Amino acid sequence: MRDAGRCRGILAALVVLAGLAACGSSNEIIEGPKNVTALKGSEARFNCTISQGWKLIMWALKGTVVLSITPTEPIITNDRFTAMSYEEGSNFISEMIIHNVQLSDAGQIKCSLQNSDRDGSAFLSVQVMGRLFIPEGSLVVMEDKPCNVTCRALGWTPLPRLSWEIGVPVSHSSYSSVREPEDLQSAVSVLALTPQGNGTVTCVAEMKRLHVHKSVTVNLTVVQPPLESSYQSEIRKSANMKTNKDTSGTKLKSGNENYGYSSDEPRTTSEWPETASLPARSSESSVPEQRVSRQPYQGSDQHQLGPASRPQVSFNVASPKKVRNVTLV
């Protein structure tokens, strides 16, 4: 009998404990929020599933309560933090929405109940999409000549994955991306290609966890190499050879003077003055000696002829042989 009474006491205790547990379960967090990665300027949403019978739900960001919810209405203290509510069977879902997410919002998110030691927590990660540009803009390049196209990503958190989309026919293409050494939020990617026609090249920056991307596209105009390049090179080469030859000839002329050389070129007045002496031998003249009649000199200067007897002297320079015609009147 004593054993039967003891069993009935234990059973009664279990029933009481079960009833207490049931009362407590009506005010519990069934599932807390999950981690969220949001883009700066976008929205971040967190859900907290709670059993029926709750009196007050509190949402905190990095230890500070930013939103409170009662069974009748939410208590909003900051317009960037608002609430939505849903029914899921016998459970209640509270959703907190963070509008215009900022980099400073990154941190712990906590959902808790009044008069309860249990809570649900998650973490908010914020990514920043910065600038993406190709400094050169549209490019004009030579056909079948290797060239580079540079793409820069500035002010990204974390750094994006950079890649290229090539919309031109090429014989070769490759690219490499590195972090800027002086700026941890910036990266650069260099595309090396050998184009064979016109088209476009596109630089793509992708946020790894958000699956969002930004891109920039530039035109690539391909031109033929100059056809006259080899001709112009030959012309310059010929001109240089001529200049060198002329310089060599000038150097030869600047040597010692040959006093035995007699030029056949016509001489100027300074080389042949009007008071030049006649030749001593008449055999150099084309006029026979017997036909030459000499008049007596007037004056004491034998190199000067009188006005009436001045000879007329002419020189024929067309022939290699020197010929002087002298006529005395």
Side-chain angles (χ1 to χ4, degrees):
M1 296 296 294
R2 289 181 179 178
D3 291 337
R6 184 179 298 176
C7 290
R8 285 195 297 270
I10 294 173
L11 182 60
L14 291 174
V15 171
V16 172
L17 291 174
L20 292 174
C23 294
S25 63
S26 63
N27 192 19
E28 290 183 346
I29 295 176
I30 299 175
E31 184 179 3
K34 294 181 174 11
N35 294 339
V36 171
T37 299
L39 189 64
K40 178 184 176 182
S42 67
E43 293 183 349
R45 295 174 177 263
F46 297 90
N47 291 338
C48 189
T49 304
I50 306 166
S51 61
Q52 296 292 341
W54 59 273
K55 300 300 180 182
L56 180 66
I57 302 173
M58 293 172 292
W59 287 95
L61 171 61
K62 294 190 293 187
T64 301
V65 176
V66 294
L67 180 65
S68 299
I69 302 170
T70 67
T72 57
E73 61 181 356
I75 302 173
I76 298 175
T77 57
N78 189 323
D79 292 339
R80 287 207 307 123
F81 302 91
T82 62
M84 296 290 290
S85 61
Y86 313 93
E87 296 288 342
E88 187 179 70
S90 61
N91 297 325
F92 177 83
I93 299 177
S94 174
E95 182 179 47
M96 181 183 70
I97 306 171
I98 305 177
H99 303 272
N100 190 22
V101 173
Q102 299 299 307
L103 192 59
S104 59
D105 293 334
Q108 187 185 53
I109 301 293
K110 183 180 291 186
C111 170
S112 62
L113 299 177
Q114 185 182 30
N115 300 326
S116 175
D117 294 334
R118 297 187 61 184
D119 57 39
S121 62
F123 195 86
L124 171 62
S125 300
V126 180
Q127 296 189 358
V128 180
M129 181 179 288
R131 297 174 56 208
L132 185 70
F133 62 98
I134 297 177
E136 298 89 347
S138 297
L139 300 174
V140 178
V141 296
M142 295 290 183
E143 183 180 6
D144 282 329
K145 298 293 183 180
C147 66
N148 293 336
V149 184
T150 302
C151 179
R152 295 187 180 277
L154 303 181
W156 294 68
T157 303
L159 289 178
R161 185 178 71 90
L162 297 177
S163 61
W164 292 86
E165 296 177 356
I166 302 175
V168 296
V170 297
S171 59
H172 167 78
S173 66
S174 63
Y175 72 93
S176 60
S177 303
V178 295
R179 182 194 300 267
E180 291 279 18
E182 299 180 357
D183 188 352
L184 299 181
Q185 294 182 326
S186 301
V188 60
S189 181
V190 178
L191 169 67
L193 73 163
T194 304
Q196 295 181 319
N198 299 333
T200 61
V201 291
T202 301
C203 178
V204 181
E206 182 181 1
M207 307 295 286
K208 300 176 183 178
R209 297 177 61 181
L210 291 176
H211 303 291
V212 296
H213 69 274
K214 179 183 285 189
S215 63
V216 57
T217 301
V218 296
N219 293 323
L220 202 67
T221 302
V222 177
V223 298
Q224 296 288 336
L227 297 177
E228 297 180 2
S229 58
S230 58
Y231 172 75
Q232 292 174 350
S233 176
E234 292 298 327
I235 291 297
R236 287 193 296 268
K237 182 177 179 181
S238 176
N240 292 336
M241 293 178 61
K242 182 178 180 181
T243 302
N244 295 336
K245 183 177 180 180
D246 293 343
T247 304
S248 176
T250 303
K251 291 181 179 179
L252 291 175
K253 289 183 179 180
S254 62
N256 295 329
E257 183 177 356
N258 184 358
Y259 292 98
Y261 172 76
S262 177
S263 175
D264 292 334
E265 296 180 358
R267 305 208 177 192
T268 60
T269 304
S270 60
E271 294 176 337
W272 298 96
E274 292 184 3
T275 57
S277 301
L278 292 175
R281 297 179 59 183
S282 59
S283 60
E284 296 179 4
S285 173
S286 61
V287 179
E289 183 177 356
Q290 62 272 17
R291 295 183 59 184
V292 176
S293 60
R294 298 181 179 271
Q295 298 291 334
Y297 291 108
Q298 297 182 1
S300 59
D301 190 354
Q302 62 180 355
H303 298 287
Q304 297 291 337
L305 297 177
S309 61
R310 181 184 300 272
Q312 295 181 1
V313 182
S314 62
F315 302 93
N316 185 359
V317 298
S319 173
K321 181 180 180 180
K322 294 182 180 180
V323 179
R324 293 184 176 90
N325 296 324
V326 180
T327 303
L328 300 179
V329 180

